[in-house]
């Protein structure tokens, strides 16, 4: 008996998928609002992308081509195991090329290659509530969202400026969706925030442990919070990639020895490889 | 009796996955019609509306049948295939009917400020794809698009009603976030 016979298509049972699908449709209808859902225990620990895996399982069709990345890389443990999981339980085609994928599950990056209409990005989210570190009570944060009372977040960003001279938040940088909900874009670097705005792709966010699903439909207005005199800056390391020479991609700093040696390389491995192949 | 038992998905996991993607695509791109297939419900329920019900409804989703759709054949078919309880409009998660039969719209749940997702989804049945009568804009729409909208909804974003328009074989989404200007 193959894995495909042993499990239902895409692993989850149909009742669970219906529940997730209904949550996804409400999430799309109310961009940026976190829809509660009955997250299931998955055959991987919380923190490994159980939310994203459940969203992907509910969206996958047999005709899809799946790409999975972990901090931009297709070949890390998390990405490889999730990709293999859906190969075994849904028999879907997989790819490392951003252009060829119909669904891209991601942990903490948006690919460098521009997304297209018809593509779905699925983000793995650890803490979906952007106000959680400012206000630990769910009852209070829920009321703050209901009243669009986001002053506390502006105060937090102001305190960053007062303390550091600039907004020190470098990842999970809060955004406002269509002028209404403040949303955590998951721990993507703030370099990726502009890619959320007016994207042709549908973006879905799944938080398994916290049991929340939220979404950005295509062509949705997404603004990074800032101040008139301290505008948002999508920053990256001030280097070129030491492998492919790209100057416009987001870079990882890699320590190469214990003598202080370091290099900067593209975090998006598929982007870096295609540039190397083009150059060769 | 056979008609009540037949006409469901023959391969539920794959057919419902494909149907859901069409519904998700419809809700994400208001104004664009999507094909849905796989269901053969008894008349007057259309195959497209039937597929949406098979994909989304179950024993957790109270379902309201409005007007001519509230007939024994449709009730039995939905109950057999989904186990969704057939209820009044006020309690419904899903409601199905023509735009006229679904009136007045204020009988449906539009959510609460804390939980705007606790709102009804209306499946509006149509005979065929009508001519555009409105300009739509908002999330999911690149600029604006001319499309059909059956009528005004109570607007109190983020509260509101989400619509799935369904002809015989196609569906279109009109989430509450869509801004509608009638031509």
């Amino acid at each position: 008996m193959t894995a495909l016979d042993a499990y239902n298509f895409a692993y989850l049972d149909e009742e669970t998928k219906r529940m997730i699908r209904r949550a996804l449709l409400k999430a799309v209808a109310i961009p940026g609002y976190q829809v509660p859902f009955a997250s299931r225990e998955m055959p991987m620990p919380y923190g490994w992308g159980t939310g994203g895996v459940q969203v992907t399982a509910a969206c996958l069709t047999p005709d899809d081509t799946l790409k999975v990345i972990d901090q931009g890389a297709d070949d890390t443990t998390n990405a490889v195991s999730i990709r293999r999981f859906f190969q075994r339980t849904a028999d879907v085609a997989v790819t490392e090329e951003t252009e060829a994928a119909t669904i891209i599950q991601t942990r903490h990056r948006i690919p460098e290659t521009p997304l297209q209409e018809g593509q779905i990005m699925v983000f793995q989210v650890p803490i979906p509530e952007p106000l959680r570190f400012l206000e630990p009570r769910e009852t209070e944060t829920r009321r703050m969202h209901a009243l669009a009372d986001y002053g506390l977040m502006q105060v937090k960003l102001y305190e960053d400026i007062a303390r550091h001279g600039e907004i020190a938040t470098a990842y999970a940088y809060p955004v406002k969706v269509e002028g209404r909900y403040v949303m955590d874009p998951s721990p993507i670097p703030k370099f990726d925030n502009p890619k959320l705005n007016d994207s042709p792709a549908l973006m879905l966010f799944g938080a398994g442990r916290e049991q929340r699903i939220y979404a950005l439909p295509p062509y949705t207005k997404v603004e990074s919070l800032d101040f008139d005199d301290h505008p948002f800056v999508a920053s990256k390391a001030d280097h070129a990639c030491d492998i492919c020479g790209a100057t416009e991609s987001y870079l990882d700093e890699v320590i190469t020895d214990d003598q202080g040696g370091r290099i900067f390389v593209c975090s998006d491995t598929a982007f870096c490889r295609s540039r190397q192949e083009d150059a060769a | 009796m056979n008609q009540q038992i037949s006409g469901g998905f023959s391969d539920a996991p794959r057919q419902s996955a494909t149907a859901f993607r069409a519904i998700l695509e419809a809700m994400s791109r208001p104004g664009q019609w999507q094909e849905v297939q796989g269901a053969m419900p008894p008349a007057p329920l259309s195959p497209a509306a039937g597929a949406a019900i098979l994909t989304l409804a179950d024993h957790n989703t109270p379902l309201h049948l409005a007007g001519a759709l509230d007939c024994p054949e449709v009730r039995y078919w939905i109950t057999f295939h989904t186990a969704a309880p057939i209820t009044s409009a006020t309690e419904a998660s899903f409601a199905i009917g023509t735009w006229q039969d679904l009136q007045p719209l204020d009988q449906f749940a539009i959510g609460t400020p804390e939980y705007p997702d606790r709102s009804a989804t209306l499946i509006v049945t149509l005979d065929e794809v009508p001519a555009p009568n409105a300009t739509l804009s908002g999330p999911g729409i690149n600029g604006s698009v001319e499309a059909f909208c059956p009528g005004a909804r109570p607007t109190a974003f983020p509260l509101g009603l989400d619509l799935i328009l369904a002809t015989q074989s196609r569906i279109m989404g009109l989430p509450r976030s869509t801004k509608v200007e009638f031509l």
Side-chain angles (χ1 to χ4, degrees), chain B residues 79-91:
Chain B
T79 306
F80 179 79
H81 287 285
T82 73
I86 310 289
T87 62
S88 66
T90 47
E91 294 167 15

Side-chain angles (χ1 to χ4, degrees), chain B residues 37-108:
Chain B
Q37 289 164 344
M40 286 302 288
L45 190 59
S46 77
I53 292 163
L54 291 183
T55 305
L56 299 173
D58 59 24
H59 63 95
N60 290 308
T61 57
L63 190 144
H64 176 66
L65 293 168
L69 280 170
D70 191 5
C71 60
E73 290 80 9
V74 174
R75 276 181 171 247
Y76 290 145
W77 189 81
I78 290 175
T79 306
F80 179 79
H81 287 285
T82 73
I86 310 289
T87 62
S88 66
T90 47
E91 294 167 15
S93 304
F94 291 98
I96 315 153
T98 65
W99 187 246
Q100 288 74 22
D101 288 339
L102 290 168
Q103 305 297 323
L105 295 184
D106 61 7
Q107 62 188 327
F108 297 105

Side-chain angles (χ1 to χ4, degrees), chain A residues 4 8-9 14-15 17-19 21-22 24-26 28-31 33-36 58-64 102-103 116-120 138 142-143 145-146 178 180-181 198 200-202 204 217-220, chain B residues 12-14 16-18 20-21 23-25 27-29 32 53-61 82 93-94 113-121 138-143 157-158 160-162 164 175-177 179:
Chain A
L4 209 56
N8 190 28
F9 174 73
E14 290 305 300
E15 184 179 344
K17 282 194 254 177
R18 279 194 296 272
M19 174 270 297
R21 286 168 179 164
R22 290 192 296 264
L24 282 167
L25 292 180
K26 288 298 173 194
V28 166
I30 318 166
Y33 167 73
Q34 303 162 51
V35 182
C59 289
L60 266 185
T61 72
D63 303 327
D64 273 312
T102 52
I103 296 185
Q116 309 149 17
E117 283 212 2
Q119 287 184 316
I120 298 177
E138 169 68 15
R142 187 162 289 282
R143 183 174 304 154
H145 283 295
E178 287 284 326
R180 180 56 180 83
Y181 283 101
D198 205 33
L202 169 65
L204 305 174
Y219 306 112
T220 295
Chain B
R14 286 166 186 79
S16 64
T18 307
F20 172 69
R21 277 292 280 283
I23 299 168
L24 180 66
E25 197 67 14
M27 208 50 115
S28 310
R29 299 177 195 278
Q32 294 185 22
I53 292 163
L54 291 183
T55 305
L56 299 173
D58 59 24
H59 63 95
N60 290 308
T61 57
T82 73
S93 304
F94 291 98
E114 278 80 16
Y115 292 95
D117 56 304
R118 294 180 181 173
S119 55
T121 302
I141 300 165
N142 189 6
F157 190 84
L161 297 169
D162 305 312
I164 297 173
R176 69 192 74 178
S177 57
K179 298 168 197 75

Side-chain angles (χ1 to χ4, degrees), chain A residues 46-267:
Chain A
Y46 286 134
W48 282 64
T50 53
V53 165
Q54 290 177 78
V55 170
T56 300
C59 289
L60 266 185
T61 72
D63 303 327
D64 273 312
T65 304
L66 180 69
K67 172 181 163 81
V68 184
I69 53 173
D70 173 3
Q71 303 226 346
D74 293 274
D75 52 4
T76 57
T77 312
N78 196 201
V80 169
S81 22
I82 290 173
R83 191 162 59 231
R84 194 171 296 160
F85 175 75
F86 284 116
Q87 275 180 294
R88 289 180 59 183
T89 60
D91 195 28
V92 289
V94 295
T95 183
E96 295 191 4
E97 286 174 46
T98 300
E99 302 92 323
T102 52
I103 296 185
I104 303 172
Q105 180 170 337
T106 174
R107 174 176 172 272
H108 309 356
R109 268 316 305 280
I110 299 175
E112 305 291 351
T113 309
L115 301 173
Q116 309 149 17
E117 283 212 2
Q119 287 184 316
I120 298 177
M121 287 285 300
V122 178
F123 293 78
Q124 302 171 197
V125 183
I127 309 281
E129 178 49 71
L131 305 167
R132 182 61 68 234
F133 290 111
L134 308 172
E135 170 52 67
R137 288 167 295 179
E138 169 68 15
T139 47
E140 284 301 308
T141 53
R142 187 162 289 282
R143 183 174 304 154
M144 289 157 79
H145 283 295
L147 300 172
D149 175 9
Y150 296 125
L152 202 56
M153 184 59 89
Q154 294 288 353
V155 170
K156 190 251 177 200
L157 296 176
Y158 166 75
E159 284 179 345
D160 261 14
I161 296 170
R163 201 168 297 153
H164 308 289
E166 59 178 4
I167 297 174
T169 306
Y171 64 94
Y173 191 104
V175 296
K176 194 169 221 179
V177 181
E178 287 284 326
R180 180 56 180 83
Y181 283 101
V182 164
M183 185 191 99
D184 182 335
S186 85
I188 58 172
K190 65 178 176 180
F191 175 82
D192 282 341
N193 271 25
K195 298 176 191 167
L196 298 169
N197 182 45
D198 205 33
S199 169
L202 169 65
M203 308 215 176
L204 305 174
F205 298 77
R209 181 185 46 218
E210 302 291 322
Q211 313 206 319
R212 294 292 184 275
I213 283 172
Y214 51 105
L216 296 172
Y219 306 112
T220 295
K221 196 170 132 202
V222 180
E223 302 161 285
S224 302
L225 297 181
D226 62 0
F227 297 97
D228 291 346
D229 53 346
H230 284 273
F232 172 80
V233 180
S235 60
K236 65 182 270 289
D238 191 17
H239 284 268
C241 172
D242 281 315
I243 298 175
C244 76
T247 54
E248 72 282 13
S249 68
Y250 188 75
L251 301 173
D252 287 337
E253 184 179 3
V254 181
I255 308 293
T256 52
D257 55 34
D258 58 1
Q259 311 295 312
R262 61 188 60 189
I263 58 169
F264 289 88
V265 298
C266 290
S267 117

